[in-house]
Amino acid sequence: MVLVIPAIELCNGRCRRRIQGDPALEGYYTYLQEHPDELARLYRQENARSLHIVDIDAIEGSSDARSEANRRAIVTIAHAVDIPIELLSTFSSAAECKEWLDSGVFRLVVSDLVLTDPDSLKTLVERYTASRIVVGIRAHNRQVHVAGTTMDDVSFALAAKAVGIRRVVYSDVRWEGTYEGPDFDLVEMFARSVQMNITIAGGIDSPEELWRCNALRSCGVDSVIVGRAIVENRFPCQYIWRMVEATVQKNFVPPPKST
């Protein structure tokens, strides 16, 4: 079965989304939203084997203060759980990547560096291995806008492959944040063209779509990143966890804020 990787999107040190559960637990879910490391622990208790962290503020070019709040949250998450943390952000240099990898983050999803500094990126991959450096593709009709240029998704993936990268995190703006599902035919064509390991990001909202992803394992698709559908309990297992929380956390009182 493909690996399901929960996503946590960070804005100003907080989770962008809040779990939708029993109204009586609104305080508990608000607490998790305000404490991303606690949400990460919850996902780990729910048997997550990896987490995908998105630094929304860095990607959107927000203020330094918001980015610093996210940085602290990311490092805290990395030390809060015993599973690999994957980070999607903007990385201006290989030196910055090294700082993140040495801080406890297991894997980075890079993009611009593939074109702007392939030699340094290759050295980074050789040092930390291809398990820890992967490429992110956010396409639109098979086209990728990256590092000030536009190219087709296969060419960009092969440029990443040339520096030693072996995994692609693939998404398309048409299915991001929607419940329309990925274009599975497109993903299959892409996967067969590049012969790399593929993680599908976004668009998954049902067990049936997971089965369709699983059917693509033979061409390299081995994992999916799911964000919104998990917090909105679109999978049967999420209903079970929310029921458990309704019992376990029914008397939840947020701990006092540290001074």
Side-chain angles (χ1 to χ4, degrees):
M1 185 64 186
V2 292
L3 176 66
V4 177
I5 305 172
I8 298 176
E9 299 174 327
L10 296 178
C11 295
N12 198 22
R14 303 169 73 248
C15 301
R16 186 182 193 181
R17 303 183 191 277
R18 185 180 68 176
I19 290 176
Q20 297 180 14
D22 188 328
L25 293 184
E26 182 177 349
Y28 174 62
Y29 294 126
T30 298
Y31 174 75
L32 294 179
Q33 184 181 22
E34 296 173 349
H35 297 81
D37 56 317
E38 295 296 338
L39 179 61
R41 289 189 179 97
L42 177 66
Y43 282 158
R44 180 65 184 115
Q45 292 170 5
E46 295 177 356
N47 206 34
R49 293 168 57 193
S50 181
L51 294 175
H52 179 79
I53 310 301
V54 185
D55 187 344
I56 296 292
D57 291 328
I59 293 171
E60 295 183 348
S62 299
S63 68
D64 290 342
R66 292 174 67 94
S67 295
E68 180 57 32
N70 280 358
R71 175 178 289 274
R72 291 194 299 269
I74 292 163
V75 173
T76 302
I77 291 171
H79 291 279
V81 291
D82 60 349
I83 52 177
I85 299 301
E86 174 180 278
L87 174 61
L88 173 61
S89 184
T90 56
F91 305 105
S92 60
S93 66
E96 182 183 0
C97 291
K98 181 179 180 298
E99 290 179 4
W100 278 115
L101 293 168
D102 291 342
S103 73
V105 173
F106 177 78
R107 176 181 289 165
L108 303 182
V109 184
V110 303
S111 55
D112 286 18
L113 288 175
V114 172
L115 301 183
T116 60
D117 197 355
D119 291 338
S120 295
L121 186 58
K122 182 177 181 180
T123 300
L124 196 71
V125 174
E126 291 172 347
R127 174 171 180 176
Y128 289 95
T129 78
S131 294
R132 303 190 66 187
I133 310 290
V134 305
V135 67
I137 289 182
R138 185 173 184 257
H140 184 223
N141 293 325
R142 304 295 299 273
Q143 297 297 301
V144 184
H145 184 70
V146 59
T149 190
T150 300
M151 59 198 304
D152 67 88
D153 54 3
V154 171
S155 296
F156 182 56
L158 293 179
K161 192 174 182 178
V163 302
I165 291 175
R166 295 293 177 264
R167 176 175 297 280
V168 178
V169 176
Y170 194 100
S171 67
D172 188 292
V173 296
R174 294 173 301 165
W175 69 58
E176 286 181 348
T178 73
Y179 287 144
E180 297 178 1
D183 184 332
F184 292 103
D185 292 336
L186 181 156
V187 172
E188 181 174 4
M189 287 188 291
F190 171 79
R192 294 193 185 281
S193 297
V194 302
Q195 295 294 297
M196 300 169 72
N197 295 322
I198 309 294
T199 301
I200 300 175
I204 301 292
D205 76 319
S206 69
E208 290 76 17
E209 288 174 346
L210 290 178
W211 307 145
R212 293 196 64 183
C213 292
N214 203 54
L216 298 179
R217 285 180 62 89
S218 62
C219 61
V221 176
D222 61 8
S223 50
V224 298
I225 295 168
V226 184
R228 179 182 170 189
I230 286 182
V231 298
E232 293 184 359
N233 310 316
R234 293 269 175 163
F235 302 97
C237 60
Q238 300 309 124
Y239 286 108
I240 296 172
W241 286 118
R242 301 295 88 86
M243 290 170 61
V244 171
E245 289 153 16
T247 300
V248 175
Q249 303 292 345
K250 61 182 178 181
N251 298 317
F252 173 78
V253 177
K257 295 182 178 180
S258 57
T259 58

